């Protein structure tokens, strides 16, 4: 884990989120990119140039936030980027060789029933960038116990587990695998291959309507420091696939959630 990117919105949790990002990056000796993305929609006939104004104000906003946190020994780079959110973040991550993007659940939403707001939900659902969702106000601590909850153990994508392995090795953490049998179960989904067996300490099988429900039951008895899930068409975060906002009744976590880009 060498490069970590943090998109910043206007939430009241921004300072706490940035401090967690710095602490997390320091644990890996990683470089931290703090970015804000803006887009300008101009009306026909409008001659006023607003790009420079927005860019300047956004840069001042980010620098002010960074001045209020302890950056420790972390190499922090602040950038203001123009463009569509997802396309711009993906380009930035590719250019900076980003390993992980840190996301706060509600960058703008103030509704208590919302877990992932529109912007955060869009990042999680519409990109393939590995992401870590950090709960609001969560204070960094070493990760010692990880729950990997998946409905299929079939791994076809090269380096699919890289971020999980990095976190496991860096903190000397224990990874417990939870295989959740849902209505989408296919023969062979629970055949765990060596590349996964080699990093897990235990394997538990359960049957639930959704992967989240299976993970929720496990959480109550084992209380892991980190939940790890996988993006896929019939996986986490798909119940509201047509919407970017994710409600707490559909998914929520009081612990950080590592979202891998997919196993297949």
């Amino acid at each position: 884990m060498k490069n970590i990117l943090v998109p910043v919105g206007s939430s009241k949790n921004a300072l706490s989120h940035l401090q967690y990002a710095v602490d997390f990056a320091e644990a890996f000796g990683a470089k931290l990119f703090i970015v804000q993305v803006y887009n300008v929609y101009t009306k026909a006939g409008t001659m006023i140039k607003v790009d420079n104004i927005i860019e300047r104000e956004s840069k001042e906003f980010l620098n002010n936030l960074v001045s209020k946190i302890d950056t420790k020994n972390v190499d922090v780079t602040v950038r203001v980027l123009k463009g569509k959110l997802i396309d711009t973040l993906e380009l930035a991550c590719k250019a900076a060789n980003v390993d992980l993007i840190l996301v706060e659940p509600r960058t703008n939403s103030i509704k208590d029933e919302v877990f992932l707001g529109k912007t955060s939900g869009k990042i999680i659902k519409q990109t393939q960038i590995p992401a870590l969702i950090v709960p609001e106000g969560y204070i960094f601590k070493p990760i010692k116990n990880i729950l990997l909850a998946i409905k299929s153990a079939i791994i076809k994508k090269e380096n699919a587990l890289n971020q999980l392995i990095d976190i496991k090795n860096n903190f000397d953490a224990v990874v417990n695998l939870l295989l959740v049998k849902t209505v989408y179960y296919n023969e062979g989904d629970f055949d765990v291959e060596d590349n996964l067996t080699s990093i897990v300490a235990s394997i538990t099988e359960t049957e639930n309507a959704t992967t989240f429900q299976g993970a929720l039951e496990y959480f109550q008895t084992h209380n892991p420091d980190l939940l790890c899930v996988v993006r896929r068409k019939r996986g986490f975060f798909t119940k509201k696939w047509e919407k970017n906002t994710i409600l707490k009744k559909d998914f929520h976590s009081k612990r950080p959630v590592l979202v891998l880009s997919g196993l297949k």
Side-chain angles (χ1 to χ4, degrees):
M1 203 93 68
K2 296 181 179 179
N3 299 301
I4 297 171
L5 184 140
V6 187
V8 176
S10 57
S11 80
K12 61 181 181 181
N13 184 56
L15 282 177
S16 172
H17 185 66
L18 285 179
Q19 189 61 62
Y20 183 97
V22 167
D23 296 343
F24 187 87
E26 183 188 38
F28 288 89
K31 184 173 183 177
L32 191 64
F33 295 89
I34 299 175
V35 305
Q36 188 166 66
V37 179
Y38 75 94
N39 204 348
V40 178
Y41 299 95
T42 57
K43 295 181 179 179
T46 301
M47 301 298 292
I48 300 174
K49 184 69 174 178
V50 296
D51 280 23
N52 292 338
I53 298 173
I54 295 176
E55 183 176 0
R56 184 178 68 250
E57 291 181 349
S58 296
K59 190 72 175 289
E60 289 176 356
F61 172 73
L62 291 181
N63 285 332
N64 183 53
L65 286 177
V66 172
S67 71
K68 295 178 180 178
I69 62 174
D70 182 2
T71 57
K72 303 184 176 181
N73 296 315
V74 176
D75 184 356
V76 176
T77 298
V78 174
R79 290 284 186 271
V80 176
L81 308 172
K82 178 186 175 183
K84 294 182 179 180
L85 178 67
I86 300 304
D87 293 342
T88 304
L89 286 179
E90 288 183 333
L91 286 172
C93 287
K94 185 176 181 180
N97 197 24
V98 166
D99 301 296
L100 185 71
I101 182 169
L102 260 64
V103 177
E104 54 177 320
R106 299 186 297 175
T107 54
N108 296 307
S109 176
I110 58 173
K111 296 180 180 179
D112 289 338
E113 69 270 20
V114 170
F115 174 67
L116 287 185
K118 184 178 180 180
T119 301
S120 301
K122 184 180 293 186
I123 293 171
I124 293 298
K125 290 183 174 185
Q126 297 185 21
T127 74
Q128 284 300 312
I129 307 166
L132 182 67
I133 305 170
V134 183
E136 295 176 17
Y138 196 82
I139 298 174
F140 174 81
K141 66 177 182 178
I143 296 167
K144 294 298 183 182
N145 186 1
I146 302 172
L147 172 63
L148 171 59
I150 54 179
K151 61 181 62 177
S152 174
I154 299 173
I155 301 175
K156 295 181 179 179
K157 185 183 293 185
E158 187 178 0
N159 302 325
L161 301 173
N162 274 9
Q163 286 71 23
L164 173 61
I165 293 172
D166 282 351
I167 292 174
K168 174 189 184 303
N169 292 341
N170 191 72
F171 296 111
D172 193 23
V174 173
V175 179
N176 296 298
L177 174 62
L178 180 67
L179 295 171
V180 184
K181 187 175 182 180
T182 70
V183 293
Y184 300 111
Y185 175 82
N186 293 311
E187 193 68 32
D189 277 346
F190 284 7
D191 295 340
V192 184
E193 300 176 3
D194 292 343
N195 55 349
L196 186 53
T197 303
S198 63
I199 68 170
V200 301
S202 69
I203 301 175
T204 303
E205 295 182 8
T206 185
E207 188 169 345
N208 291 89
T210 66
T211 314
F212 170 55
Q213 289 182 11
L216 191 61
E217 290 183 7
Y218 190 99
F219 248 83
Q220 294 172 344
T221 56
H222 293 78
N223 197 30
D225 301 315
L226 175 72
L227 171 63
C228 181
V229 298
V230 176
R231 287 188 185 95
R232 56 174 45 138
K233 290 183 178 180
R234 289 197 178 109
F236 261 69
F237 310 119
T238 55
K239 185 173 183 180
K240 297 292 183 181
W241 193 262
E242 72 283 1
K243 297 179 181 179
N244 291 315
T245 301
I246 296 173
L247 302 180
K248 289 181 178 178
K249 68 181 181 66
D250 296 320
F251 176 82
H252 69 278
S253 175
K254 295 182 179 180
R255 296 287 188 273
V257 180
L258 175 64
V259 186
L260 300 178
S261 60
L263 303 183
K264 298 180 181 180

